[in-house]
Amino acid sequence: MANTRRRFGSIRRLSSGRWQARYLGPDGRPYAAPGTFASKTDAGRSLSGVETDILRGSWLAADRAGIKLASYARAWIAERRVKGRPLATRTRETYLPSLDTWIEPYLGDAALGKITPAVVRTWHAEISSKVGPTATRQAYALLRAVLSTAVVDGALPRNPCMITGAGQASSPERPLLDIAQVERIAAAMPEHLRALVLVAFWVHLRLGELLGLERGDLDLDAGTLLVDRQVIETDDDPVVTAPKAASRRTVHLPQPAVEALRDQAASTPLAMPTARVFTRRDGSELRAHHVHGGWKTARRKAGLPNAHLHDLRHAGLTLAAQSGATLAEVMRRAGHVSSRAAMIYQHAAERRDAEVAARLSALAKPGDSGTRLARVDHLTIGDTP
């Protein structure tokens, strides 16, 4: 039968004599109202109700709202793309335990359309009582991301994950290593790993990027290094992939990094361009746990038992910001896609500058002017007034 057009949607009479209502959802896809109607008037009322729901922001796609969270979340992980690329292996290995242990057993059988803010709050309180803050945060962040896509798909009117700060990390700020401390730790590392520590600090590479470096990535005459791959540790064997999105970059090397890499290259002068820069003593593959093992011993010997390996990158980027690097320059050296992460190092540099100003102010207190001038003459960033 011919459609009866309306301002919103359309109605047609079926061969059975009943009436069907159809419309375009806010996602641009065609939908049919559930079931059929005895009269044209009833079909029109159904469409009016759908239009009202869309205007209020409470519309749900009936064919999606009934999907169980477990199946939707697994499809989400399998099909998820970030800047056109599938999820990294390590990311999937982080998501799946959260889904298996903390989401599916509690919410897996719930239909998407039935997951409300109250349901999420109850779930969050329950898992918070059973597991630590990191696992809770990861599970909540995954659920929020999955349900954000469900909103786009029309299965939810809005994301029910509305607990302020629940998906955000809140680790305490790390202390900054200075150059002397970095050199102490490097000296305490096994000889074949000393250059790795110095490059992590001066060139700000992530551990996976350091492990993926090949001889052909270095141009020590030009003083540059190409970040072209990274090694991702997985539950099975390590995987070599492209670096993080938009993190492929050429970095200019400070002189201490050039010297460290020259010494490293001199230890195995016949290596091929595709040979890894950093290996074990016998030339075999260097793994992340080998580096962490050496680091744990070295930091204790250096008198810095609480220093983290990632502190090298953090301290090096902060030093770059202190040297006058702009936000864009810090982002480029770090391989950051957004300015949010790079701003951490800008803020740290500003705080250090404020400390210097406070020290200078302390020198202006009443006292012997000759003493004050002598102290200013010898003031350095690391001094304590």
Side-chain angles (χ1 to χ4, degrees), residues 7-8 16 46-47 59-60 68 94 145 186 216 284 321 326 331 361:
R7 181 177 56 82
F8 174 78
S16 64
S46 173
L47 286 176
W59 173 85
L60 299 178
K68 291 185 177 180
T94 300
S284 60
T326 65
M331 287 176 63
S361 297

Side-chain angles (χ1 to χ4, degrees), residues 2 22 56 88 93 189 218 231 233 238 243 253 256 327 342 347-348 354-355:
R22 300 181 63 83
R56 289 176 176 171
E93 290 181 351
M189 288 288 282
L218 308 180
V231 176
E233 296 284 345
L253 305 173
L327 179 61
H347 291 325
E355 291 173 12

Side-chain angles (χ1 to χ4, degrees), residues 11-335:
I11 300 172
R12 67 169 182 164
R13 191 172 189 179
L14 304 175
S15 58
S16 64
R18 294 185 65 82
W19 295 82
Q20 182 185 54
R22 300 181 63 83
Y23 61 94
L24 285 179
D27 56 1
R29 299 173 181 174
Y31 291 91
T36 57
F37 304 91
S39 69
K40 183 177 180 180
T41 300
D42 290 342
R45 287 173 179 163
S46 173
L47 286 176
S48 295
V50 170
E51 184 179 20
T52 299
D53 287 344
I54 291 175
L55 293 174
R56 289 176 176 171
S58 58
W59 173 85
L60 299 178
D63 61 336
R64 295 181 177 83
I67 297 174
K68 291 185 177 180
L69 175 63
S71 59
Y72 187 87
R74 291 198 176 276
W76 184 91
I77 292 174
E79 300 168 3
R80 179 70 169 166
R81 295 290 185 273
V82 178
K83 296 186 180 298
R85 298 164 62 179
L87 290 177
T89 302
R90 190 61 184 156
T91 302
R92 287 198 305 273
E93 290 181 351
T94 300
Y95 283 165
L96 288 172
S98 288
L99 180 62
D100 293 340
T101 308
W102 303 115
I103 297 178
E104 268 198 9
Y106 301 87
L107 300 174
D109 289 334
L112 292 176
K114 299 296 184 181
I115 302 176
T116 64
V119 169
V120 173
R121 286 194 298 271
T122 300
W123 164 78
H124 186 265
E126 185 170 0
I127 67 168
S128 296
S129 68
K130 297 179 178 179
V131 71
T134 298
T136 301
R137 173 180 58 79
Q138 290 174 341
Y140 180 87
L142 174 59
L143 179 64
R144 184 178 59 189
V146 170
L147 296 183
S148 288
T149 303
V151 173
V152 175
D153 284 346
L156 286 167
R158 61 186 63 83
N159 196 325
C161 293
M162 303 172 68
I163 304 174
T164 303
Q168 299 175 352
S170 57
S171 56
E173 184 176 340
R174 298 291 307 156
L176 285 175
L177 296 174
D178 60 32
I179 296 175
Q181 291 171 328
V182 172
E183 290 177 344
R184 286 211 312 270
I185 295 178
M189 288 288 282
E191 186 174 356
H192 65 291
L193 295 178
R194 290 173 185 170
L196 182 146
V197 168
L198 296 173
V199 173
F201 175 71
W202 289 107
V203 195
H204 333 307
L205 268 58
R206 304 172 177 94
L207 178 57
E209 294 170 342
L210 289 161
L211 295 178
L213 275 181
E214 296 179 356
R215 289 298 185 90
D217 299 328
L218 308 180
D219 187 342
L220 299 183
D221 291 332
T224 61
L225 176 154
L226 173 65
V227 180
D228 197 35
R229 71 195 63 78
Q230 64 177 344
V231 176
I232 303 296
E233 296 284 345
T234 71
D235 292 339
D236 299 316
D237 294 325
V239 176
V240 180
T241 70
K244 285 188 174 183
S247 290
R248 186 181 189 275
R249 62 200 185 278
T250 297
V251 185
H252 285 77
L253 305 173
Q255 192 58 35
V258 173
E259 293 172 359
L261 287 168
R262 285 194 191 282
D263 291 343
Q264 184 78 7
S267 64
T268 52
L270 300 179
M272 299 291 289
T274 56
R276 294 286 172 81
V277 172
F278 301 110
T279 64
R280 301 180 72 184
R281 285 190 181 91
D282 60 3
S284 60
E285 181 182 36
L286 182 67
R287 299 285 298 273
H289 66 270
H290 299 141
V291 179
H292 284 294
W295 175 265
K296 185 176 181 180
T297 300
R299 69 184 182 181
R300 178 177 50 79
K301 289 181 178 179
L304 298 163
N306 297 318
H308 295 180
L309 186 64
H310 192 75
D311 290 346
L312 294 170
R313 174 174 160 88
H314 177 69
L317 285 166
T318 302
L319 188 64
Q322 290 171 351
S323 74
T326 65
L327 179 61
E329 290 165 342
V330 171
M331 287 176 63
R332 186 181 182 283
R333 288 188 69 82

